[in-house]
């Protein structure tokens, strides 16, 4: 029997998190790694989401790696095709392709306590790894609601993240289910072509104008000639968003002025009082993600669009029925109903030291030390883990902070030497999570009066980070070995890990302050 392939690090996923991890590993001198990708190309969510109108709601120069600035972004808010091209470019520039295993979906990852490694089963074969970095991302597995009669619908059905480009919508009657970030881009993109568009809206979003424009050739030439101008642009975009954070996290009542601006944005396009009433939220702005579009409201005002202020409850043949009893005949149903964020499928495939899956360990809610390490899952880290999401800025900032933490994790393993693993102590995980949840209590995401995908089935916010990106960067700048049990090849835990911790006590107290401030 052939010996199982073994690598130092296995990265799962090739979106921003996975590619960033690969670049950082190379910079740390680690070349014995693989990137396991279930699809046949890189890009993650920017590969999967190719629906009409798909674009980012974070400015281009902020939604990119600090170590891979792009002076040639064509627009201030980039479209899906530009972001995907950027990720392909990063893959080539940093010579990552030899490390990537395409069409290699992870089926199972099991901790091997004897060998202190992860045994990994993929759709293309088996291997083992000392360290696993899971970068599957929370926006990777679509969620389609269980609608009675859906399986009998005679027309076409697909999710926004699995757009069927072979199906022509021109002249069709289309039902759009959902009013989230994808739907507000899809609606204006398809409205001119369809014969009728019925929008099922359970909760209206707050929508602000999207001030998008083409970046001039002169600007791009300047950024190429003087790279510091790209850094300056990025810094200004970052700083403005950092200043906004306190309104979301500590003073939600200060958001009233923003609500008035959003209502004016609606009023300019929606003249019908009845429609305006349907589209006006009854919760504090920011409780759900604030959406950006200058085309959404004008599209809803067109005569071939119907807004149903009720969720889809039943399907009878070609008839879609809303919870309020209204009906519509449609040829196509498009679900813009989000993703499995708080119950990520990858968690069902990770088996830890005690034989439990990560999904079982997280049954009461996701929690991970500094958003990265789960107790009972040695040498396993996640990028964009619990409570690392943002409601007002770029996730790339959070990803890079977690890459710093990953890099120091690898360094600490090297310092400890030999066959060794780090397992987050349950007390450290719970303490971190307790502080995060305490800060969460006063945020707009918990007090704003809405139900959002930020909350899990128990009503806990296990998704959003309740602070600034700079706070998170300080909290993840290094690994504190006192928060981990050191597991040696003998299979015994080293309860005293301070001998290998080269940090001082003052830094420990400062890092704890990041969450208690």
């Amino acid at each position: 029997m052939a010996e199982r392939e073994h690598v130092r690090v296995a990265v799962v996923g090739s979106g921003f998190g996975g590619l960033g991890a690969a670049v950082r590993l190379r910079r740390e001198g680690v070349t014995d790694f693989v990137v396991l990708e279930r699809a046949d190309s890189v890009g993650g969510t920017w590969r999967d989401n190719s629906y009409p109108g798909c674009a980012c709601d974070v400015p281009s120069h902020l939604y990119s790696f600090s170590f891979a600035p792009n002076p040639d972004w064509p627009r201030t808010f980039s479209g899906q095709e530009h972001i995907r091209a950027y990720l392909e470019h990063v893959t080539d520039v940093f010579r990552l392709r030899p490390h990537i295993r395409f069409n290699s979906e992870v089926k199972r990852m099991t901790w091997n306590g004897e060998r202190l490694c992860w045994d990994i089963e993929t759709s293309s074969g088996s291997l083992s790894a000392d360290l696993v970095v899971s970068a599957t991302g929370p926006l990777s597995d679509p969620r389609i609601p269980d609608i009675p009669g859906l399986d009998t619908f005679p027309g076409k059905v697909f999710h926004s993240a699995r757009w069927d480009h072979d199906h022509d919508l021109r002249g069709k009657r289309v039902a759009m289910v959902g009013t989230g970030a994808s739907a507000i881009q899809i609606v204006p993109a398809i409205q001119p072509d369809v014969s009728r568009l019925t929008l099922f809206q359970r909760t209206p979003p707050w929508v602000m104008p999207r001030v998008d424009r083409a970046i001039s050739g002169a600007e791009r030439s300047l950024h190429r000639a003087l790279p510091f101008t790209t850094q300056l642009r990025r810094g200004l975009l970052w700083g403005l968003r950092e200043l906004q954070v306190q309104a979301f996290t500590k003073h939600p009542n200060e958001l009233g002025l923003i609500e008035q601006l959003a209502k004016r944005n609606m009023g300019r396009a929606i003249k019908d009082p009845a429609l305006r009433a349907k589209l006006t939220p009854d919760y504090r702005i920011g409780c759900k993600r604030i959406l950006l579009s200058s085309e959404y409201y004008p599209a809803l005002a067109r005569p071939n669009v119907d807004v149903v202020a009720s969720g889809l409850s039943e399907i009878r043949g070609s008839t879609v029925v809303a919870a309020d009893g209204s009906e519509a005949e449609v040829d196509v149903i498009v679900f813009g109903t989000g993703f499995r964020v708080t119950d990520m499928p990858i968690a069902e495939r990770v088996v830890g030291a005690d034989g439990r899956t990560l999904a079982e360990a997280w049954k009461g809610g996701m929690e991970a030390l500094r958003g990265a390490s789960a107790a009972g899952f040695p040498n396993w880290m996640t990028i964009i883990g619990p409570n690392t999401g943002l409601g007002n800025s770029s996730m790339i900032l959070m990803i890079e902070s977690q890459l710093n933490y990953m890099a120091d994790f690898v360094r600490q393993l090297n310092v400890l030497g030999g066959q060794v693993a780090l397992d987050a102590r349950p007390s450290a995980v719970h303490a971190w999570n307790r502080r995060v949840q305490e800060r969460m209590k006063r945020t707009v995401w918990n007090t704003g009066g809405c139900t959002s995908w930020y909350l899990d089935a128990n009503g806990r916010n296990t998704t959003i980070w309740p602070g600034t990106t700079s706070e998170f960067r300080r909290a993840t700048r290094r690994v504190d070995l006192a928060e981990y049990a050191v597991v040696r090849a003998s299979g015994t835990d080293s309860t005293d890990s301070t001998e290998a911790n080269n940090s001082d006590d003052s830094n420990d107290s400062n890092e704890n302050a990041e969450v208690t401030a």
Side-chain angles (χ1 to χ4, degrees):
M1 182 176 177
E3 186 176 346
R4 181 192 293 258
E5 178 190 9
H6 183 80
V7 295
R8 178 64 168 157
V9 184
V11 179
V12 185
S14 67
F16 268 100
L19 295 178
V23 171
R24 193 58 187 269
L25 286 170
R26 285 182 63 97
R27 288 190 164 186
E28 290 296 316
V30 179
T31 57
D32 182 19
F33 70 90
V34 296
V35 179
L36 302 173
E37 171 53 57
R38 66 184 178 184
D40 59 4
S41 60
V42 302
T45 191
W46 295 105
R47 174 199 60 234
D48 297 342
N49 287 269
S50 60
Y51 57 79
C54 183
C56 190
D57 59 0
V58 175
S60 304
H61 288 88
L62 192 58
Y63 199 80
S64 48
F65 290 122
S66 63
F67 56 79
N70 179 15
D72 290 313
W73 287 115
R75 303 196 66 83
T76 52
F77 289 88
S78 292
Q80 174 264 346
E81 67 277 17
H82 303 128
I83 298 174
R84 185 176 181 186
Y86 170 77
L87 290 173
E88 293 279 2
H89 179 70
V90 167
T91 303
D92 291 330
V93 166
F94 290 94
R95 304 188 301 279
L96 302 180
R97 292 197 189 277
H99 296 278
I100 302 175
R101 308 278 177 87
F102 291 115
N103 301 306
S104 298
E105 181 177 9
V106 171
K107 300 295 186 181
R108 199 80 166 170
M109 292 187 284
T110 305
W111 176 248
N112 188 322
E114 294 183 2
R115 296 178 57 227
L116 294 190
C117 67
W118 286 93
D119 293 330
I120 306 170
E121 305 295 330
T122 80
S123 57
S124 65
S126 303
L127 71 156
S128 60
D130 294 331
L131 171 65
V132 168
V133 179
S134 179
T136 59
L139 305 182
S140 56
D141 290 279
R143 182 186 296 278
I144 294 181
D146 185 15
I147 306 294
L150 179 60
D151 57 344
T152 66
F153 180 68
K156 193 70 177 178
V157 178
F158 50 85
H159 191 278
S160 59
R162 301 291 186 268
W163 195 271
D164 188 343
H165 291 279
D166 294 328
H167 194 78
D168 192 353
L169 296 184
R170 286 178 295 182
K172 300 289 178 60
R173 299 167 298 177
V174 179
M176 179 76 229
V177 184
T179 53
S182 299
I184 71 158
Q185 295 179 343
I186 293 169
V187 167
I190 68 173
Q191 174 271 319
D193 296 325
V194 303
S195 65
R196 188 130 215 102
L197 179 59
T198 303
L199 177 66
F200 287 87
Q201 169 194 272
R202 286 195 306 175
T203 308
W206 285 104
V207 182
M208 295 290 286
R210 185 168 179 262
V211 188
D212 185 27
R213 64 172 179 83
I215 297 177
S216 69
E219 289 175 272
R220 283 180 276 168
S221 295
L222 177 65
H223 292 328
R224 284 194 298 271
L226 301 173
F228 79 88
T229 60
T230 305
Q231 297 171 359
L232 177 60
R233 188 171 191 160
R234 178 186 176 90
L236 290 173
L237 291 168
W238 167 78
L240 288 173
R241 280 155 181 77
E242 290 288 274
L243 293 174
Q244 298 168 359
V245 171
Q246 284 207 356
F248 290 88
T249 59
K250 296 180 180 179
H251 309 292
N253 289 334
E254 294 180 358
L255 293 166
L257 175 61
I258 308 301
E259 288 182 5
Q260 294 304 314
L261 295 175
K263 288 179 179 178
R264 289 181 188 175
N265 178 46
M266 182 198 306
R268 282 192 290 268
I270 307 298
K271 304 303 181 184
D272 178 7
L275 179 56
R276 199 158 55 238
K278 286 183 181 181
L279 299 175
T280 302
D282 61 358
Y283 55 88
R284 176 63 77 191
I285 194 170
C287 184
K288 290 176 177 282
R289 188 176 180 95
I290 301 173
L291 305 182
L292 303 181
S293 177
S294 298
E295 301 171 334
Y296 179 64
Y297 287 139
L300 296 186
R302 302 300 298 170
N304 67 331
V305 178
D306 295 314
V307 177
V308 179
S310 179
L312 178 61
S313 66
E314 185 182 359
I315 298 171
R316 304 172 190 152
S318 297
T319 304
V320 288
V321 184
D324 64 4
S326 59
E327 301 180 357
E329 293 289 319
V330 299
D331 306 304
V332 181
I333 301 175
V334 179
F335 284 100
T337 45
F339 300 84
R340 293 182 60 180
V341 175
T342 59
D343 60 339
M344 293 185 290
I346 190 66
E348 301 166 3
R349 308 180 185 190
V350 182
V351 183
D354 62 359
R356 289 191 305 165
T357 66
L358 186 60
E360 291 170 330
W362 281 351
K363 189 174 182 180
M366 299 189 302
E367 56 178 26
L369 177 61
R370 303 183 188 269
S373 301
F377 297 82
N379 282 11
W380 184 91
M381 308 185 72
T382 181
I383 305 296
I384 316 184
N387 291 113
T388 60
L390 296 176
N392 74 310
S393 191
S394 172
M395 278 305 303
I396 313 306
L397 301 169
M398 301 296 279
I399 288 172
E400 290 198 32
S401 292
Q402 291 200 288
L403 297 182
N404 291 340
Y405 196 72
M406 178 203 72
D408 197 49
F409 196 99
V410 171
R411 291 187 209 114
Q412 296 294 350
L413 291 177
N414 291 336
V415 168
L416 289 166
Q419 196 69 20
V420 65
L422 294 177
D423 188 5
R425 297 182 183 277
S427 58
V429 175
H430 297 329
W432 170 265
N433 188 65
R434 184 170 58 252
R435 294 193 294 268
V436 168
Q437 292 302 322
E438 185 63 29
R439 286 188 65 176
M440 196 70 71
K441 289 180 180 178
R442 57 184 174 180
T443 68
V444 69
W445 306 299
N446 279 35
T447 65
C450 73
T451 300
S452 73
W453 57 266
Y454 299 153
L455 309 180
D456 64 16
N458 301 310
R460 283 202 317 154
N461 191 327
T462 58
T463 305
I464 296 294
W465 167 246
T468 64
T469 61
S470 54
E471 284 179 293
F472 188 74
R473 176 151 295 198
R474 289 194 296 271
T476 54
R477 69 184 181 269
R478 61 174 181 78
V479 169
D480 179 359
L481 285 183
E483 297 180 327
Y484 287 86
V486 178
V487 185
R488 291 288 181 182
S490 62
T492 59
D493 290 1
S494 171
T495 56
D496 182 10
S497 60
T498 56
E499 60 185 10
N501 190 351
N502 56 7
S503 58
D504 58 41
D505 292 338
S506 62
N507 283 341
D508 290 346
S509 61
N510 286 341
E511 286 210 354
N512 287 338
E514 302 303 339
V515 185
T516 58

